[in-house]
Amino acid sequence: MEFSRLSLFVLLASLPAVLCHRVTLIVDGTKTIAETDEDFICATLDWWPHDKCNYNICPWGYTSVLNLNLSHPFLAHVIQAFKNLRIRIGGSLQDQVEYDIGKLRFPCHPFRKDRSGLFGFSRSCLRMSRWDELNHLFSKTGARVTFGLNALYGRRQLRKGVWGGDWDSTNAYEFMKYTVAKGYPVDSWEFGNELSGSGIGASVGAEQYGKDLIALKGIIDQIYKNHDPKPSVIAPGGFFDQDWYARLLQVSGSGVIDFMTHHIYNLGPGSDPNLISKILDPNYLNRISDTFSKLKETIRKNGPWASPWVGESGGAYNSGGLGVSNTFVNSFWYLDQLGMAAKYSTKVYCRQSLIGGNYGLLNTTTFIPNPDYYSALLWNRLMGKGVLSIDIDSPSPLRSYAHCSRGREGVTLLLINFSNETNYKISVRNRMNLRLRIKESMDNRESIILRGLKKMVSFIGIGASEASLKREEYHLTPRDGFLQSQTMLLNGTPLDLTEDGKIPTLEPSLVGVNSPISIAPLSIAFVVLPNFDAPSCV
């Protein structure tokens, strides 16, 4: 769905004048409420072939694990910009992929249309020469790899959509042995894709799945016996079903599953004409918090040795929404869900996809970054592992998240203004300093005038030279104010690749630390407060 420029003009002309509203954010830096992994940002590489189509559009092109142009000059640059981008290899067709080593059950050929196959495609295979090429890219770019294994191998279909029998690990065993022998550092092995609960296309019962995970853990312990640390075991890579997930943890037992992955497509189908209104509705976006909360509680009760991951999330399913998922407006959903996931102790968040479909971080044909790529990169560079509590003094369409800054002292805020008419002027206060002031007031019975003066002290703490202090601001807006623009502006400057195909320098605006933060309607900002006194971030 796309708005015409004329429609946008009429819409904007009908809007009321921009309003200004002052709010106060109170950040508690004394303790973290959650913690992510260092490499929280993750992107997927999928198996979908070029003839995977939705809504009479085939948006995948040649972006499959099997045929992506790994030597494209932009590809290495966009991965290297993250330093250690986690890449998850997986997707709907992974449970139909064999590994071309040892004795195969089926001929090794590319995916082909097959009505009798899962999702309308035949089985396929990963040749070891291709695996070598992929690992050359990963090594060159510093990527951390999570590989999704075929969890249907050797099973039989009991009835439509339901599979049973033990997993045959022989093919995966040979593949993993080859991987170790070649020195390829797979960080984690994920077992299966969307087979949990009632499954998507296929399902496996939790009892059987748990037994197979114990077998997989034994294989990893054997093959990686001389490695420390060993790769993590990740499962089930499906949609959250509370009873199924709980039973999986109970059956597999302590020390088997390191991370529980779940998938999220909370915006509905990519063809939904209301996709943009969903993205810009914070109340609608809030609905997914129930899933985060229930998964966290399920793990606490049944398997506290594990931690949650979002293993795949593309917003809108069926390859995303054309003209929406690859444009500026999608970052309202994406960044809000990153912030929400982190608050619920999600360790890693994998975006569907790095490239491919309408929701790729990169353009399918040109490999040029879409707006969400820069949203992910800024999060990766600015937001640290520690998640902090943040309160706002009045309910509003202003979304706010606070983290310890990455790689340095201080705190970084993510501010998302969902309002199309309100400019927010934001003052930031430190809960720790507020507590100190209250205590001082009680102990010393200070005068009203002195207390009033103390309230003017900024969040930076005592003894700092306020005149010389600056904060960093990264304001994100769309080109020409068009929400469906594929060009994102950073502080008013278009984010375009350099002439040699490298990522542009992401320069902040430097602003006096005591001035209010101003965030325009329908815009997003990262704000780095380098002198915020946050003991939990040290």
PDB file of all heavy atoms in Angstrom, residues 12 14 34 52 68 77 83 108 224 226 230 236 265 320 345 404 474 499 526 529:
ATOM      1  N   LEU A  12      -1.560  16.200   5.110  1.00  0.00           N
ATOM      2  CA  LEU A  12      -0.806  17.156   5.910  1.00  0.00           C
ATOM      3  C   LEU A  12      -1.537  18.486   6.024  1.00  0.00           C
ATOM      4  O   LEU A  12      -1.528  19.139   7.068  1.00  0.00           O
ATOM      5  CB  LEU A  12       0.581  17.366   5.295  1.00  0.00           C
ATOM      6  CG  LEU A  12       1.519  16.160   5.349  1.00  0.00           C
ATOM      7  CD1 LEU A  12       2.817  16.464   4.636  1.00  0.00           C
ATOM      8  CD2 LEU A  12       1.789  15.756   6.787  1.00  0.00           C
ATOM      9  N   SER A  14      -4.611  18.964   6.142  1.00  0.00           N
ATOM     10  CA  SER A  14      -5.765  18.846   7.032  1.00  0.00           C
ATOM     11  C   SER A  14      -5.376  18.750   8.501  1.00  0.00           C
ATOM     12  O   SER A  14      -6.234  18.817   9.371  1.00  0.00           O
ATOM     13  CB  SER A  14      -6.594  17.614   6.655  1.00  0.00           C
ATOM     14  OG  SER A  14      -5.858  16.428   6.909  1.00  0.00           O
ATOM     15  N   ALA A  34      16.837  -5.185  33.275  1.00  0.00           N
ATOM     16  CA  ALA A  34      17.023  -6.306  32.351  1.00  0.00           C
ATOM     17  C   ALA A  34      18.371  -6.126  31.677  1.00  0.00           C
ATOM     18  O   ALA A  34      19.019  -5.075  31.801  1.00  0.00           O
ATOM     19  CB  ALA A  34      15.915  -6.359  31.307  1.00  0.00           C
ATOM     20  N   LYS A  52       9.500 -17.517  -4.783  1.00  0.00           N
ATOM     21  CA  LYS A  52       8.625 -17.401  -3.621  1.00  0.00           C
ATOM     22  C   LYS A  52       7.824 -16.105  -3.794  1.00  0.00           C
ATOM     23  O   LYS A  52       8.387 -15.013  -3.858  1.00  0.00           O
ATOM     24  CB  LYS A  52       9.456 -17.353  -2.334  1.00  0.00           C
ATOM     25  CG  LYS A  52       8.803 -16.655  -1.151  1.00  0.00           C
ATOM     26  CD  LYS A  52       7.610 -17.393  -0.605  1.00  0.00           C
ATOM     27  CE  LYS A  52       7.121 -16.713   0.688  1.00  0.00           C
ATOM     28  NZ  LYS A  52       5.871 -17.298   1.174  1.00  0.00           N
ATOM     29  N   LEU A  68      22.509 -16.040  -2.945  1.00  0.00           N
ATOM     30  CA  LEU A  68      22.861 -14.644  -2.707  1.00  0.00           C
ATOM     31  C   LEU A  68      24.261 -14.348  -3.242  1.00  0.00           C
ATOM     32  O   LEU A  68      25.189 -15.140  -3.072  1.00  0.00           O
ATOM     33  CB  LEU A  68      22.812 -14.355  -1.202  1.00  0.00           C
ATOM     34  CG  LEU A  68      23.244 -12.961  -0.747  1.00  0.00           C
ATOM     35  CD1 LEU A  68      22.300 -11.883  -1.267  1.00  0.00           C
ATOM     36  CD2 LEU A  68      23.323 -12.916   0.786  1.00  0.00           C
ATOM     37  N   HIS A  77      30.461  -4.450   3.420  1.00  0.00           N
ATOM     38  CA  HIS A  77      30.497  -3.168   4.124  1.00  0.00           C
ATOM     39  C   HIS A  77      29.355  -3.033   5.121  1.00  0.00           C
ATOM     40  O   HIS A  77      29.556  -2.568   6.247  1.00  0.00           O
ATOM     41  CB  HIS A  77      30.429  -2.010   3.121  1.00  0.00           C
ATOM     42  CG  HIS A  77      31.639  -1.903   2.249  1.00  0.00           C
ATOM     43  ND1 HIS A  77      31.628  -1.269   1.025  1.00  0.00           N
ATOM     44  CD2 HIS A  77      32.897  -2.350   2.407  1.00  0.00           C
ATOM     45  CE1 HIS A  77      32.822  -1.338   0.478  1.00  0.00           C
ATOM     46  NE2 HIS A  77      33.615  -1.994   1.289  1.00  0.00           N
ATOM     47  N   LYS A  83      30.433  -4.508  13.208  1.00  0.00           N
ATOM     48  CA  LYS A  83      31.609  -5.162  13.821  1.00  0.00           C
ATOM     49  C   LYS A  83      31.366  -6.641  14.073  1.00  0.00           C
ATOM     50  O   LYS A  83      32.158  -7.475  13.649  1.00  0.00           O
ATOM     51  CB  LYS A  83      32.043  -4.443  15.103  1.00  0.00           C
ATOM     52  CG  LYS A  83      32.571  -3.040  14.843  1.00  0.00           C
ATOM     53  CD  LYS A  83      33.193  -2.433  16.077  1.00  0.00           C
ATOM     54  CE  LYS A  83      33.780  -1.062  15.758  1.00  0.00           C
ATOM     55  NZ  LYS A  83      34.341  -0.400  16.946  1.00  0.00           N
ATOM     56  N   CYS A 108      20.575 -33.985  -4.633  1.00  0.00           N
ATOM     57  CA  CYS A 108      20.909 -32.617  -4.237  1.00  0.00           C
ATOM     58  C   CYS A 108      20.588 -31.670  -5.390  1.00  0.00           C
ATOM     59  O   CYS A 108      21.263 -31.682  -6.420  1.00  0.00           O
ATOM     60  CB  CYS A 108      22.393 -32.521  -3.878  1.00  0.00           C
ATOM     61  SG  CYS A 108      22.866 -30.894  -3.235  1.00  0.00           S
ATOM     62  N   TYR A 224      32.342 -30.995  19.904  1.00  0.00           N
ATOM     63  CA  TYR A 224      33.057 -29.810  20.392  1.00  0.00           C
ATOM     64  C   TYR A 224      33.736 -30.075  21.737  1.00  0.00           C
ATOM     65  O   TYR A 224      33.930 -29.156  22.521  1.00  0.00           O
ATOM     66  CB  TYR A 224      32.088 -28.643  20.546  1.00  0.00           C
ATOM     67  CG  TYR A 224      31.592 -28.056  19.241  1.00  0.00           C
ATOM     68  CD1 TYR A 224      30.454 -28.544  18.621  1.00  0.00           C
ATOM     69  CD2 TYR A 224      32.262 -27.000  18.628  1.00  0.00           C
ATOM     70  CE1 TYR A 224      29.981 -27.998  17.430  1.00  0.00           C
ATOM     71  CE2 TYR A 224      31.811 -26.445  17.440  1.00  0.00           C
ATOM     72  CZ  TYR A 224      30.669 -26.952  16.848  1.00  0.00           C
ATOM     73  OH  TYR A 224      30.205 -26.406  15.669  1.00  0.00           O
ATOM     74  N   ASN A 226      36.676 -30.473  22.642  1.00  0.00           N
ATOM     75  CA  ASN A 226      37.911 -29.732  22.901  1.00  0.00           C
ATOM     76  C   ASN A 226      37.744 -28.230  22.746  1.00  0.00           C
ATOM     77  O   ASN A 226      38.728 -27.492  22.651  1.00  0.00           O
ATOM     78  CB  ASN A 226      39.013 -30.225  21.958  1.00  0.00           C
ATOM     79  CG  ASN A 226      39.372 -31.678  22.195  1.00  0.00           C
ATOM     80  OD1 ASN A 226      39.416 -32.134  23.344  1.00  0.00           O
ATOM     81  ND2 ASN A 226      39.616 -32.430  21.127  1.00  0.00           N
ATOM     82  N   LYS A 230      31.534 -24.078  24.187  1.00  0.00           N
ATOM     83  CA  LYS A 230      30.859 -24.817  23.117  1.00  0.00           C
ATOM     84  C   LYS A 230      29.724 -23.952  22.551  1.00  0.00           C
ATOM     85  O   LYS A 230      29.230 -23.044  23.225  1.00  0.00           O
ATOM     86  CB  LYS A 230      30.293 -26.130  23.657  1.00  0.00           C
ATOM     87  CG  LYS A 230      31.342 -27.122  24.153  1.00  0.00           C
ATOM     88  CD  LYS A 230      30.660 -28.376  24.660  1.00  0.00           C
ATOM     89  CE  LYS A 230      31.688 -29.436  25.074  1.00  0.00           C
ATOM     90  NZ  LYS A 230      32.455 -29.004  26.262  1.00  0.00           N
ATOM     91  N   PRO A 236      12.712 -23.312  20.283  1.00  0.00           N
ATOM     92  CA  PRO A 236      12.341 -24.123  19.122  1.00  0.00           C
ATOM     93  C   PRO A 236      12.201 -23.328  17.827  1.00  0.00           C
ATOM     94  O   PRO A 236      11.819 -23.883  16.805  1.00  0.00           O
ATOM     95  CB  PRO A 236      10.982 -24.693  19.535  1.00  0.00           C
ATOM     96  CG  PRO A 236      10.360 -23.578  20.331  1.00  0.00           C
ATOM     97  CD  PRO A 236      11.509 -22.903  21.047  1.00  0.00           C
ATOM     98  N   TYR A 265       5.231 -11.812  14.323  1.00  0.00           N
ATOM     99  CA  TYR A 265       4.740 -11.061  13.157  1.00  0.00           C
ATOM    100  C   TYR A 265       3.424 -10.410  13.578  1.00  0.00           C
ATOM    101  O   TYR A 265       2.346 -10.758  13.088  1.00  0.00           O
ATOM    102  CB  TYR A 265       4.544 -11.988  11.959  1.00  0.00           C
ATOM    103  CG  TYR A 265       5.853 -12.427  11.330  1.00  0.00           C
ATOM    104  CD1 TYR A 265       6.487 -13.589  11.733  1.00  0.00           C
ATOM    105  CD2 TYR A 265       6.463 -11.650  10.350  1.00  0.00           C
ATOM    106  CE1 TYR A 265       7.694 -13.985  11.182  1.00  0.00           C
ATOM    107  CE2 TYR A 265       7.678 -12.034   9.777  1.00  0.00           C
ATOM    108  CZ  TYR A 265       8.274 -13.198  10.201  1.00  0.00           C
ATOM    109  OH  TYR A 265       9.479 -13.575   9.650  1.00  0.00           O
ATOM    110  N   GLY A 320       6.365  -9.333   4.232  1.00  0.00           N
ATOM    111  CA  GLY A 320       6.266  -7.924   4.584  1.00  0.00           C
ATOM    112  C   GLY A 320       5.373  -7.148   3.638  1.00  0.00           C
ATOM    113  O   GLY A 320       4.823  -7.686   2.676  1.00  0.00           O
ATOM    114  N   SER A 345      13.996  -8.799  29.007  1.00  0.00           N
ATOM    115  CA  SER A 345      15.198  -9.646  29.134  1.00  0.00           C
ATOM    116  C   SER A 345      15.495 -10.478  27.897  1.00  0.00           C
ATOM    117  O   SER A 345      16.175 -11.503  27.986  1.00  0.00           O
ATOM    118  CB  SER A 345      15.088 -10.569  30.363  1.00  0.00           C
ATOM    119  OG  SER A 345      14.920  -9.821  31.546  1.00  0.00           O
ATOM    120  N   CYS A 404      21.983   1.739  29.425  1.00  0.00           N
ATOM    121  CA  CYS A 404      23.365   2.170  29.590  1.00  0.00           C
ATOM    122  C   CYS A 404      23.952   2.401  28.204  1.00  0.00           C
ATOM    123  O   CYS A 404      23.644   1.656  27.267  1.00  0.00           O
ATOM    124  CB  CYS A 404      24.181   1.101  30.316  1.00  0.00           C
ATOM    125  SG  CYS A 404      23.570   0.691  31.974  1.00  0.00           S
ATOM    126  N   TYR A 474      20.634  12.207  17.816  1.00  0.00           N
ATOM    127  CA  TYR A 474      20.514  11.595  16.492  1.00  0.00           C
ATOM    128  C   TYR A 474      19.025  11.579  16.128  1.00  0.00           C
ATOM    129  O   TYR A 474      18.289  10.688  16.556  1.00  0.00           O
ATOM    130  CB  TYR A 474      21.060  10.169  16.502  1.00  0.00           C
ATOM    131  CG  TYR A 474      22.502  10.031  16.928  1.00  0.00           C
ATOM    132  CD1 TYR A 474      22.861  10.075  18.285  1.00  0.00           C
ATOM    133  CD2 TYR A 474      23.515   9.820  15.996  1.00  0.00           C
ATOM    134  CE1 TYR A 474      24.185   9.924  18.684  1.00  0.00           C
ATOM    135  CE2 TYR A 474      24.845   9.667  16.385  1.00  0.00           C
ATOM    136  CZ  TYR A 474      25.172   9.730  17.729  1.00  0.00           C
ATOM    137  OH  TYR A 474      26.481   9.574  18.126  1.00  0.00           O
ATOM    138  N   GLU A 499      30.574   7.059  -2.131  1.00  0.00           N
ATOM    139  CA  GLU A 499      30.835   6.695  -3.519  1.00  0.00           C
ATOM    140  C   GLU A 499      31.455   5.313  -3.653  1.00  0.00           C
ATOM    141  O   GLU A 499      31.247   4.627  -4.657  1.00  0.00           O
ATOM    142  CB  GLU A 499      31.755   7.741  -4.165  1.00  0.00           C
ATOM    143  CG  GLU A 499      31.071   9.087  -4.383  1.00  0.00           C
ATOM    144  CD  GLU A 499      31.982  10.057  -5.106  1.00  0.00           C
ATOM    145  OE1 GLU A 499      33.129   9.663  -5.448  1.00  0.00           O
ATOM    146  OE2 GLU A 499      31.555  11.204  -5.342  1.00  0.00           O
ATOM    147  N   PHE A 526      17.665   9.155  19.032  1.00  0.00           N
ATOM    148  CA  PHE A 526      18.552   8.600  20.051  1.00  0.00           C
ATOM    149  C   PHE A 526      19.257   9.783  20.700  1.00  0.00           C
ATOM    150  O   PHE A 526      19.747  10.683  19.999  1.00  0.00           O
ATOM    151  CB  PHE A 526      19.595   7.668  19.443  1.00  0.00           C
ATOM    152  CG  PHE A 526      19.058   6.365  18.923  1.00  0.00           C
ATOM    153  CD1 PHE A 526      18.648   6.245  17.599  1.00  0.00           C
ATOM    154  CD2 PHE A 526      18.984   5.250  19.744  1.00  0.00           C
ATOM    155  CE1 PHE A 526      18.171   5.043  17.107  1.00  0.00           C
ATOM    156  CE2 PHE A 526      18.499   4.042  19.261  1.00  0.00           C
ATOM    157  CZ  PHE A 526      18.095   3.942  17.942  1.00  0.00           C
ATOM    158  N   LEU A 529      23.457  10.766  26.792  1.00  0.00           N
ATOM    159  CA  LEU A 529      23.726  11.627  27.934  1.00  0.00           C
ATOM    160  C   LEU A 529      25.026  11.148  28.587  1.00  0.00           C
ATOM    161  O   LEU A 529      25.016  10.284  29.459  1.00  0.00           O
ATOM    162  CB  LEU A 529      22.563  11.563  28.926  1.00  0.00           C
ATOM    163  CG  LEU A 529      21.163  11.769  28.317  1.00  0.00           C
ATOM    164  CD1 LEU A 529      20.081  11.528  29.364  1.00  0.00           C
ATOM    165  CD2 LEU A 529      21.024  13.147  27.706  1.00  0.00           C
TER     166      LEU A 529
END
